[in-house]
Amino acid sequence: MKAPVSWIKEYVDVPEGTTTDDITRRLTMTGLKLEAVHSPGAAITGPLVIGRVLTKEPEPQKNGKVINWCTVDVADANDTGEPQGIVCGAHNFEVGDLVVVVLPGAVLPGDFAISARKTYGHLSAGMICSARELGIGDDHDGIIVLPADAGVPGQDAREVLGLDEEIIEFEVNPDRAYGLSLRGIARDVAVSVEGASNFRDPALRQTPAANDAGYPVVLADTAGCPVFVARKVTGFDPAAPTPAFIADRIAAAGMRSISLAVDVTNYVMLETGRPIHGYDADKLTGPIVVRRAVAGEKLTTLDGVVRELSAEDLVVTDDSGIIGLGGVMGGETTEMSETTTSIVVESAHWDAVSMFRTGKRHKISSEAGKRNERGVDPTICEAAADRVVELLVAHGGATADPGVTVVGTPPAQPTITVAGDKAARVSGMEISEQTAVEALRAVGCEVTGTGTLSVVPPPWRPDLTDPQDTTEEVIRLVGYDKVPSVLPVPPAGRGLTRAQQLRRRFSRVVAAEGFTEVVTFPFVGDADFDQMRVPADDVRRKALRLENPLSSEAPLMTTTVLAGLLRTAGRNVGHGLSSFGIYETATVTVPRGGATRILSVDHGPSADEFAALQAGLPAQPFHLALVGVGAAEEAGWWGEGRTADWADAVDAVRVVADSVGIDLAARGVDHAPWHPGRCAELSVDDTVIGHAGELHPKVCEAYGLPRGSVAAEVDLDVLIERGVHLRPAPTFSTHPVAKEDVALVVDAAVPAAEVEAALREGAGPLLESIRLFDVFTGEQIGQGRKSLAFALRFRAADRTLKEGEASAAREAAVSLAAERTGAVQR
């Protein structure tokens, strides 16, 4: 919303010396946030004066263009007192007219410097200006012709054109619709700027009483349109120009001047906040009726679009059919035009929810719709209509019809009960009950009672509906800047929880393995599961659907972090990265089948309500997902590089688990989106926590990744629950180590992890470490067999091992491996 400062001051007195900065600072603190301060003449420097055209000589040119060689009286503004010779290409002025002249030495918007120069055979010393050249309008073909009484030649034109006017642009939140009017802004100035007083409400006026002689109106839907006021004027001159003060002000507010009839309705809307619509009375047939549309009915709106209506749309009709979308946009059949001489003025109150839905449904955004969908004062319909009639009569030569139609009554305001000390308790400030009452009355509320207050909000504040709203009003007027900043004192000995500390540990460990953290949106669609080749009956497809998703392509809360991570990996490959690792730790959403509930915010939930609420919430386990692409080790002078493979993904998860003292078991499975035969199922004590391995080639193709890319996803909550938070420092033995190697032949289907577990258990407490260093297959081993070579290291903490102790432990380990896995020593 743009509001000229002079227009604001027309409705409220501010102390002398109060600057625009003072006003905007206080309004920002009370809820009308400053967006910008504009000054139309800020980009114009140098002499800009009023001139009187003395001569105008048309001169045809060879290119078919006709220019005017003019002499213009600018008095002493040119330091000579002689008339100024200027070439002008416009033709909308005559000898004797007052025009705006910019003289050599001036600079116009766009850094356009003005100088005397020879053109069309003349020395043109300056320019006769159009609105566009001055940056105050869009009219370029015609220059500005000032009223005869605008001033005298040589006078500075800035004040006449309002170029020194400061225009405040506000960011108006949806709950503060009153801020979309000068009436609302001035009222906030009156209650927030220190020393401001004497607010003059432009909607407070004597209006003629309703009678039976007005244009007939029928409200068939009083819920959608509780109040409808109609006034009529006749004898209107459609050629009458819009007065400069109206045209200038609506232009300053960011609207375009169209015609007097339209400009007046826009002016009153900006002034009072009440949208007004005008009908060509000669095009109306029969009474005006407000009803809901019948599905399938059509209307051609003022923008020339044929719209198919919904049964939820509020429409205005007459005997000819639908003539407008109520409160949103009028129809083409009754549009005011350059021949309109009789006008029916509509000032109606519309249901805000219906206005919002109709606007969204038909993709119509208008200044009227913007106000109606946020809520407008329902009690000023008569005053707004009367103001429009007054301006049409004063400036358009019209005659007001004696008939006044007022149908319906404004909806009643709620009564809010609130404790007198609530604002003090919420804000932490010393706000007395008297201060709270004065603040509420200042914004127009009726307040009665002591201790417990009964508050009736003003009709222009539909956002005030409960005690929290009235409390906010008190605090904002006292001043958000006065709310004390008090930091809570944390109890001694506390800090991050165990879970928080472990989550940070996991993140550091993965980063140390060479992966870079990313953050992705937690939203997916069926296409994501398709690209990951997730089966139709997979539990991961049972995702929570959002009521109002950011994108129709991703309407589900994700059940896997890997979906977003694969998209990110593909995007990085598309930008030219060939080798990288990325990871993300985030919650996923797993529906539990319970019904969700929305509780009231005016009180805390009871124990039963809270339990029911918790039961309906989906589970949100904390997952780690990672993706590796390209080389695991780069080639260089140190040797050949190595491409990442499935084992790298498994090892990265093992390192994470090891950081909390957990050994993971792994076995081969087929699980999307991984490659069959190259996917490991990872578990802790028979509890599956996730999967890791090489991605399926079709998945790599779908996401634009190179074949052989690897990935993993695991549930970290299990590791947090079962892991060791504070691990004891390791002890080191100073005694020598005994090295033993063993090669065992097993079936190809036997996991190496099972063989390793059996060796570890069989070796006993002397075993310090075990490492698989070779896997061999070939004819020497036999079809369907493999050889696993392990390096075993034995050491005692308190002594040197005796001869035969290490070999005995080795034999015990091999024996147990043979018993459990069928291993045969090679």
Side-chain angles (χ1 to χ4, degrees):
M1 175 67 186
K2 294 180 179 179
V5 173
S6 64
W7 202 357
I8 295 173
K9 291 181 178 179
E10 197 171 288
Y11 305 127
V12 62
D13 295 332
V14 296
E16 189 171 344
T18 301
T19 65
T20 300
D21 284 345
D22 296 332
I23 294 173
T24 56
R25 184 173 59 254
R26 285 307 307 162
L27 289 181
T28 296
M29 292 305 301
T30 53
L32 290 181
K33 179 184 174 184
L34 172 67
E35 188 73 18
V37 176
H38 307 279
S39 181
I44 302 174
T45 60
L48 183 72
V49 300
I50 296 174
R52 185 182 303 279
V53 180
L54 300 178
T55 65
K56 174 186 176 185
E57 300 175 11
E59 296 182 356
Q61 304 298 310
K62 293 179 181 180
N63 59 6
K65 183 177 181 181
V66 177
I67 63 98
N68 293 302
W69 170 240
C70 307
T71 56
V72 185
D73 177 14
V74 294
D76 293 329
N78 59 4
D79 296 328
T80 67
E82 296 296 324
Q84 199 83 351
I86 299 175
V87 171
C88 182
H91 303 282
N92 67 317
F93 64 99
E94 302 296 338
V95 172
D97 283 346
L98 291 181
V99 294
V100 178
V101 179
V102 59
L103 298 175
V107 178
L108 296 184
D111 202 24
F112 180 43
I114 303 299
S115 62
R117 63 190 181 93
K118 193 168 184 178
T119 181
Y120 295 108
H122 299 282
L123 182 65
S124 182
M127 184 167 63
I128 303 174
C129 299
S130 71
R132 181 180 294 181
E133 288 159 347
L134 296 179
I136 59 174
D138 295 326
D139 188 3
H140 182 271
D141 297 328
I143 56 95
I144 300 172
V145 177
L146 298 172
D149 59 351
V152 297
Q155 177 183 336
D156 194 318
R158 285 174 172 80
E159 184 178 353
V160 176
L161 296 174
L163 295 180
D164 293 331
E165 174 75 276
E166 288 186 306
I167 301 168
I168 307 173
E169 184 176 357
F170 295 101
E171 178 184 315
V172 181
N173 291 335
D175 63 334
R176 298 203 181 275
Y178 68 87
L180 294 173
S181 70
L182 272 296
R183 177 194 189 213
I185 294 170
R187 182 183 285 109
D188 260 15
V189 169
V191 300
S192 61
V193 174
E194 187 174 354
S197 61
N198 197 23
F199 170 64
R200 296 171 288 280
D201 189 347
L204 187 62
R205 58 191 293 121
Q206 288 292 116
T207 59
N211 54 52
D212 295 333
Y215 198 92
V217 174
V218 177
L219 296 184
D221 191 321
T222 54
C225 180
V227 181
F228 196 109
V229 174
R231 296 285 301 276
K232 183 178 179 181
V233 298
T234 57
F236 174 73
D237 179 7
T242 300
F245 81 94
I246 292 180
D248 292 345
R249 283 182 169 179
I250 63 174
M255 302 179 73
R256 183 169 57 92
S257 177
I258 298 172
S259 66
L260 175 60
V262 175
D263 293 348
V264 162
T265 60
N266 286 335
Y267 182 82
V268 174
M269 177 181 69
L270 293 169
E271 185 178 60
T272 65
R274 164 57 60 192
I276 307 289
H277 184 68
Y279 302 93
D280 188 325
D282 295 331
K283 297 177 182 178
L284 291 173
T285 57
I288 291 175
V289 178
V290 178
R291 60 172 174 83
R292 296 283 174 173
V294 176
E297 285 187 302
K298 294 183 178 180
L299 167 69
T300 302
T301 45
L302 289 174
D303 54 3
V305 177
V306 178
R307 304 182 186 277
E308 185 169 331
L309 305 180
S310 162
E312 293 184 14
D313 291 332
L314 279 164
V315 294
V316 181
T317 71
D318 66 1
D319 289 349
S320 67
I322 300 176
I323 59 174
L325 268 175
V328 178
M329 186 174 286
E332 208 173 51
T333 58
T334 57
E335 179 182 9
M336 293 185 295
S337 68
E338 65 276 2
T339 61
T340 298
T341 58
S342 296
I343 300 172
V344 171
V345 177
E346 167 206 297
S347 177
H349 184 70
W350 306 91
D351 173 59
V353 174
S354 294
M355 296 300 96
F356 174 78
R357 290 177 176 170
T358 294
K360 295 289 281 187
R361 186 180 303 113
H362 296 287
K363 297 181 174 61
I364 297 175
S365 179
S366 66
E367 291 294 330
K370 186 190 302 183
R371 288 161 174 80
N372 281 326
E373 70 187 25
R374 286 166 169 77
V376 187
D377 186 347
T379 66
I380 64 169
C381 294
E382 296 155 85
D386 191 62
R387 174 67 165 150
V388 170
V389 170
E390 176 187 67
L391 293 173
L392 292 176
V393 170
H395 304 289
T399 300
D401 194 280
V404 178
T405 302
V406 179
V407 181
T409 55
Q413 291 297 101
T415 298
I416 302 169
T417 301
V418 60
D421 64 345
K422 185 174 178 65
R425 288 187 286 109
V426 169
S427 66
M429 294 188 287
E430 294 183 3
I431 301 176
S432 66
E433 181 177 305
Q434 181 180 353
T435 300
V437 170
E438 290 174 353
L440 291 173
R441 287 176 176 164
V443 298
C445 296
E446 296 178 9
V447 185
T448 57
T450 56
T452 299
L453 307 178
S454 293
V455 181
V456 179
W460 58 83
R461 295 298 302 275
D463 57 305
L464 303 182
T465 60
D466 57 52
Q468 282 63 244
D469 296 329
T470 58
T471 300
E472 179 185 1
E473 284 301 295
V474 173
I475 297 172
R476 80 178 181 95
L477 290 186
V478 172
Y480 289 127
D481 54 331
K482 296 183 175 64
V483 175
S485 178
V486 180
L487 294 176
V489 180
R494 298 187 185 181
L496 297 177
T497 65
R498 174 180 178 276
Q500 289 170 331
Q501 290 177 337
L502 292 185
R503 287 182 180 186
R504 294 190 178 190
R505 181 185 301 176
F506 294 149
S507 191
R508 288 195 297 270
V509 168
V510 182
E513 290 296 300
F515 293 85
T516 300
E517 186 174 18
V518 300
V519 178
T520 65
F521 281 116
F523 310 122
V524 294
D526 290 331
D528 292 289
F529 293 123
D530 293 339
Q531 287 182 301
M532 293 174 65
R533 301 176 65 83
V534 176
D537 59 349
D538 194 291
V539 67
R540 285 173 290 178
R541 282 188 179 265
K542 295 180 174 60
L544 189 71
R545 184 170 296 275
L546 296 169
E547 184 72 23
N548 186 24
L550 293 178
S551 168
S552 59
E553 296 178 355
L556 309 173
M557 290 294 292
T558 188
T559 55
T560 167
V561 179
L562 208 50
L565 211 57
L566 290 172
R567 286 196 299 269
T568 302
R571 192 176 302 114
N572 278 274
V573 170
H575 281 77
L577 294 182
S578 58
S579 296
F580 60 88
I582 56 175
Y583 80 96
E584 181 175 12
T585 55
T587 57
V588 297
T589 304
V590 183
R592 290 191 279 211
T596 57
R597 299 178 59 195
I598 298 178
L599 302 180
S600 172
V601 296
D602 59 354
H603 65 276
S606 66
D608 290 341
E609 286 176 330
F610 188 75
L613 183 66
Q614 290 293 104
L617 293 178
Q620 298 183 71
F622 190 66
H623 281 205
L624 160 69
L626 55 86
V627 173
V629 174
E633 298 174 5
E634 297 288 348
W637 58 266
W638 51 84
E640 296 182 1
R642 180 177 66 81
T643 302
D645 62 18
W646 64 270
D648 292 299
V650 175
D651 286 345
V653 179
R654 284 188 184 279
V655 172
V656 171
D658 182 66
S659 70
V660 289
I662 292 178
D663 292 324
L664 293 180
R667 71 182 186 92
V669 295
D670 289 346
H671 188 74
W674 286 275
H675 193 303
R678 300 178 190 175
C679 172
E681 179 185 84
L682 307 174
S683 59
V684 179
D685 299 333
D686 298 326
T687 299
V688 176
I689 68 165
H691 300 82
E694 180 182 322
L695 289 167
H696 194 288
K698 292 292 186 183
V699 174
C700 292
E701 181 181 343
Y703 286 98
L705 303 177
R707 292 173 68 96
S709 297
V710 301
E713 182 166 6
V714 293
D715 185 345
L716 293 181
D717 283 344
V718 177
L719 300 183
I720 292 172
E721 178 186 352
R722 304 188 186 188
V724 178
H725 180 207
L726 300 175
R727 301 180 67 182
T731 58
F732 298 94
S733 172
T734 58
H735 299 282
V737 66
K739 303 178 180 180
E740 297 283 347
D741 293 345
V742 61
L744 302 177
V745 179
V746 295
D747 287 340
V750 176
E754 291 186 13
V755 179
E756 179 183 326
L759 289 173
R760 187 183 298 276
E761 182 178 343
L766 294 179
L767 181 67
E768 183 178 82
S769 67
I770 181 171
R771 178 175 64 88
L772 175 66
F773 66 88
D774 185 51
V775 179
F776 176 77
T777 58
E779 295 180 0
Q780 303 94 317
I781 304 301
Q783 186 71 24
R785 307 277 285 174
K786 62 183 176 183
S787 173
L788 304 176
F790 294 91
L792 287 73
R793 300 294 180 261
F794 297 93
R795 194 191 322 246
D798 57 346
R799 59 189 171 83
T800 300
L801 293 178
K802 296 179 180 179
E803 184 180 356
E805 283 187 287
S807 59
R810 171 184 176 278
E811 293 303 321
V814 171
S815 176
L816 186 59
E819 177 185 336
R820 290 188 176 175
T821 66
V824 177
Q825 189 167 354
R826 183 180 173 190

